[in-house]
């Protein structure tokens, strides 16, 4: 149990790597992201499905130039993310969404690498994806080709597992042992990010006792639990508000 965000983020440092849960703005660890911003650390490497939105989620750290490298599957509607990437201010490793999910899970399971058909025949496998652009728009650094191998007559590409210094996740419910339950779409990447972190910090909307049969992520993967106040738990962004015409 962490008594404060400072205690929850003890040990973070410049250049640290983070796996961050959430999908769009669903299930993102808002409180921990804001607390990480307040620490002033910079030069961070972030692994997440996406990098938040302009002014939301990881976009707060991105706008402050605290992030040096992003591994993600989706740039999305974050215009500052796209601007920094195309201007050569940010290194970005784009990876298929399913491969990213499995790379995080594999890291948590101690599996160093795996083969997948996703990306075969594209720059994902053949190399050449821009990792960083130069100021003039040319490619300053590109992804190398990856090892491929045929299984049952079908080509697969080798993807390496991901582990990070820290993981930041958000759970709907959790107990003092770190067992967590996630709500709906928040379950997409939060459990996987939690598995990949050497030190995983979970902000929990409701601290309670859990039946073992309802646990989505066992506490063995979680080192620190930060209970949220009701106000913090209720503070959730909406990525795209859609209303019905009367």
């Amino acid at each position: 149990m962490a008594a404060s965000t400072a205690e929850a983020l003890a040990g973070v440092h410049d250049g640290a790597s983070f796996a961050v849960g959430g999908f769009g703005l669903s299930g993102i660890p808002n409180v921990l992201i804001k607390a990480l911003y307040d620490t002033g650390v910079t030069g961070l490497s972030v692994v997440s499905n996406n990098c938040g939105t302009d002014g939301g989620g990881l976009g707060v750290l991105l706008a402050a130039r605290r992030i040096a490298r992003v591994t993600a599957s989706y740039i999305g509607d974050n215009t500052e993310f796209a601007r920094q990437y195309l201007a050569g201010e940010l290194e970005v490793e784009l990876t298929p969404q399913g491969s990213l999910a499995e790379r995080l899970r594999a890291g948590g399971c101690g599996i160093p690498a795996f083969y997948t058909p996703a990306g075969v025949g594209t720059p994902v496998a053949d190399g050449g994806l821009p990792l960083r652009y130069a100021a003039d728009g040319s490619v300053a650094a590109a992804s190398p080709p990856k090892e491929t191998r045929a299984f049952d007559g079908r080509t697969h590409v080798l993807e390496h597992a991901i582990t990070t210094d820290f993981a930041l996740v958000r759970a709907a419910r959790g107990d003092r042992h770190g067992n967590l339950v996630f709500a709906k779409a928040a379950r997409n990447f939060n459990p996987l990010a939690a598995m990949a972190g050497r030190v995983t910090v979970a902000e929990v909307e409701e601290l309670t006792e859990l039946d073992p049969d309802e646990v989505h992520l066992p506490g063995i993967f979680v080192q620190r639990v930060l209970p949220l106040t009701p106000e913090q738990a209720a503070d959730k962004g909406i990525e795209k508000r859609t209303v019905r015409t009367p």
Side-chain angles (χ1 to χ4, degrees):
M1 293 286 294
S4 64
T5 53
E7 186 175 322
L9 294 177
V12 300
H13 54 84
D14 289 349
S17 58
F18 288 81
V20 182
F23 193 85
L25 292 182
S26 175
I28 60 172
N30 259 329
V31 174
L32 289 170
I33 290 172
K34 292 174 182 176
L36 184 61
Y37 171 86
D38 291 339
T39 66
V41 294
T42 190
L44 306 177
S45 294
V46 171
V47 182
S48 187
N49 176 63
N50 56 287
C51 206
T53 61
D54 292 310
L58 287 170
V60 174
L61 290 167
L62 191 70
R65 307 295 182 87
R66 305 286 184 79
I67 298 176
R69 190 179 196 277
V70 177
T71 300
S73 67
Y74 180 61
I75 291 179
D77 296 324
N78 191 326
T79 56
E80 178 60 15
F81 187 7
R83 189 201 67 75
Q84 287 188 28
Y85 175 43
L86 296 175
E89 300 169 7
L90 181 70
E91 185 170 305
V92 178
E93 179 189 2
L94 289 171
T95 184
Q97 193 169 78
S99 298
L100 178 62
E102 183 64 6
R103 290 177 70 189
L104 290 165
R105 191 196 72 85
C109 293
I111 299 170
F114 59 91
Y115 285 96
T116 173
V120 171
T122 76
V124 170
D126 300 339
L129 280 175
L131 296 174
R132 180 182 290 277
Y133 285 96
D136 63 1
S138 62
V139 177
S143 64
K146 298 175 181 177
E147 178 184 335
T148 58
R149 182 175 173 183
F151 294 90
D152 297 324
R154 187 179 185 187
T155 303
H156 294 68
V157 59
L158 184 69
E159 293 282 3
H160 289 264
I162 293 174
T163 56
T164 56
D165 298 321
F166 296 89
L168 308 180
V169 300
R170 182 171 183 136
R173 291 184 293 144
D175 63 21
R176 61 189 179 87
H177 304 294
N179 299 302
L180 304 177
V181 174
F182 303 95
K184 302 179 175 66
R187 192 176 175 183
N188 284 350
F189 271 92
N190 270 302
L192 305 170
M195 293 174 70
R198 297 182 183 91
V199 176
T200 293
V201 188
E203 59 180 64
V204 176
E205 295 176 15
E206 180 186 359
L207 190 67
T208 184
E209 294 297 321
L210 296 175
D211 186 305
D213 285 340
E214 62 181 334
V215 171
H216 293 154
L217 182 79
I220 190 67
F221 291 110
V222 179
Q223 283 69 49
R224 301 171 188 171
V225 176
L226 178 69
L228 301 183
T229 66
E231 293 75 20
Q232 289 172 326
D235 184 16
K236 300 177 182 179
I238 298 175
E239 189 169 357
K240 293 185 179 181
R241 186 184 299 273
T242 302
V243 296
R244 185 176 64 181
T245 302

